[in-house]
Amino acid sequence: MIKKVKNRIDFEVSEEEIARRIAQIEDSNIDKELREFLITALKAIVRLDEIVGMKQTTIARLRKIFNKKIEKNPSKNSKDDSSTDGNNENKKKHGRGNNKGKNGKEAYGGAQKINHPHESLKPGDSCPECGMGKIYNTNNPGIHIRITGSAPLSAKIHETEKLRCNACGTIFEANFEGKNAPKYDARSIAIIAILKYGLSLPLYRLEKLQKQLYIPMPASTQWDLLEFLANILQPLWKYFLKIAPEGDLFYQDDTKNRVLSLIKENKDKLRDKKARKAMYTSGIISVKDNRRIILYMTGRNYSGERLSELFEKRTETNRPIIMSDALATNKIKNIETVECFCSSHARRKFFDLNEKFEKESKFVLDIISEVYVVDNDCIARKLTDKERLEEHQLKSGPLMEKLKVFLDHSLESKEVEPNSTLGSAMNYVINHWDGLTQFLKIPGA
């Protein structure tokens, strides 16, 4: 049943009803292409109804149903083919592009290299083909790459011979190199840590994989090894906490997380009801010269609070540059900073409105895209902070001024309603203009 209500459509229909309609369409004599389109559309409605009813539904999940791409500006992909020649040349220059999965030997830095001399010839021998000349080394070896499969964690079983004296009973066991080494070497522990924390592979999944390949590695054992590794790395972590505050440029952001002990704590009836219940992992990057320190901290504190704590140990007197979104939770206390806001967050608001307000969104997206092009060029040319600032002032400055004029005019002339979704996106940029344009004023921003 379809009922039109102001600003929305009430659509009430059961899966059985849709299945019956699909059967009717399949039995009809309409065009085959139209028949397939209608059936696909009805199935999409069923799937959409399922996902909308889910507790964890997100915009990304809804986009996936209709094959919507995320964060891509379609207007930038519609240029003439002739304009891509420079891009193709740039891709070749920087080693990027569609190589169909083919990699040269330089890409296999971790591969074992085995040299195979010729089985019957050596430099200086007479040529067996013509008998007149002598052969020499071309210094251009043949390359044959062979890739094999193995378990992430492999094992070797060493069986040592044991001999017993029939008179005194003394046992003599064979020795081998590494006999007294621990069962799990440093490489195995490092691989577990990389799979777990670098690739987000749960311990139980690695346990299942290893069991299927007949090299068992229980999740409990993995955890013990990771705890052992964490204790070894603890002094390094403390050292990072000591030198990270001395950076010149900082990036910060939060993402939600789940900590079992904190979840249990939230359920405690005696706990203060006004106390914070949220859990976050704060990502902080400290940059100084060519050094980057990446810190992850999980708990109830926001990234702004985490960074404020780090800055209590800061000895540098210059103002640090802080890169983040405009959330109040990112504010830094007790120290003067250069506050920079992320253009990607501002851009995303217009990207989400691209279909509803195509003209206005396209204008904003295209300008921000051109600014990104300038910045990528600065990175490719390895410009200094000062040179990058001058490049942005020359090329990005007029672009951003053009954007500001467009936003101000749209709202002041009432062409865009300030309280609409588009007006909110424009107001976000205007209200945070100073933070969004620090890259035009501050070297390194």
Side-chain angles (χ1 to χ4, degrees), residues 18-224:
I18 289 181
R20 187 170 68 82
R21 297 296 185 185
I22 290 176
Q24 288 179 341
I25 294 172
E26 288 176 339
D27 294 337
S28 65
N29 294 324
I30 60 177
D31 179 70
K32 181 181 178 181
E33 185 177 348
L34 177 59
R35 183 189 302 119
E36 291 178 353
F37 173 81
L38 292 174
I39 292 174
T40 301
L42 287 174
K43 289 181 178 179
I45 290 175
V46 174
R47 181 65 180 141
L48 182 62
D49 182 64
E50 290 176 357
I51 292 181
V52 169
M54 291 180 181
K55 185 177 181 181
Q56 302 293 336
T57 296
T58 62
I59 295 296
R61 189 189 294 268
L62 294 173
R63 283 196 180 109
K64 193 173 181 180
I65 304 177
F66 298 103
N67 197 29
K68 296 291 184 183
K69 302 298 182 183
I70 307 299
E71 300 288 346
K72 297 293 183 182
N73 185 1
S75 63
K76 305 305 293 182
N77 300 324
S78 58
K79 294 183 178 180
D80 296 335
D81 293 339
S82 59
S83 65
T84 63
D85 293 342
N87 291 337
N88 291 337
E89 183 178 340
N90 190 49
K91 287 182 179 180
K92 291 178 181 178
K93 180 179 178 181
H94 296 284
R96 299 191 299 271
N98 183 15
N99 63 0
K100 299 182 179 179
K102 297 178 182 178
N103 295 297
K105 71 171 185 177
E106 295 79 10
Y108 295 89
Q112 180 185 6
K113 294 182 180 179
I114 304 173
N115 294 316
H116 297 279
H118 197 280
E119 59 273 10
S120 60
L121 299 174
K122 63 181 182 298
D125 288 352
S126 297
C127 175
E129 185 69 24
C130 68
M132 298 173 62
K134 293 184 179 296
I135 59 175
Y136 63 93
N137 198 317
T138 64
N139 293 319
N140 186 24
I143 304 297
H144 305 271
I145 299 173
R146 298 291 180 267
I147 298 176
T148 185
S150 65
L153 300 165
S154 57
K156 292 181 180 179
I157 299 176
H158 297 271
E159 292 186 349
T160 54
E161 183 180 23
K162 289 185 176 181
L163 305 172
R164 184 194 298 272
C165 174
N166 64 1
C168 66
T170 302
I171 295 178
F172 302 90
E173 183 180 0
N175 282 317
F176 64 92
E177 185 179 355
K179 180 180 179 181
N180 297 320
K183 180 177 181 180
Y184 304 99
D185 69 2
R187 287 174 176 267
S188 66
I189 302 174
I191 285 294
I192 294 172
I194 290 171
L195 292 175
K196 167 63 176 173
Y197 299 108
L199 300 177
S200 302
L201 181 69
L203 301 183
Y204 75 90
R205 286 189 180 169
L206 180 57
E207 176 183 7
K208 286 184 177 181
L209 175 60
Q210 292 293 137
K211 186 176 181 181
Q212 291 175 354
L213 298 174
Y214 296 99
I215 304 177
M217 178 57 71
S220 57
T221 302
Q222 295 177 56
W223 178 257
D224 291 339

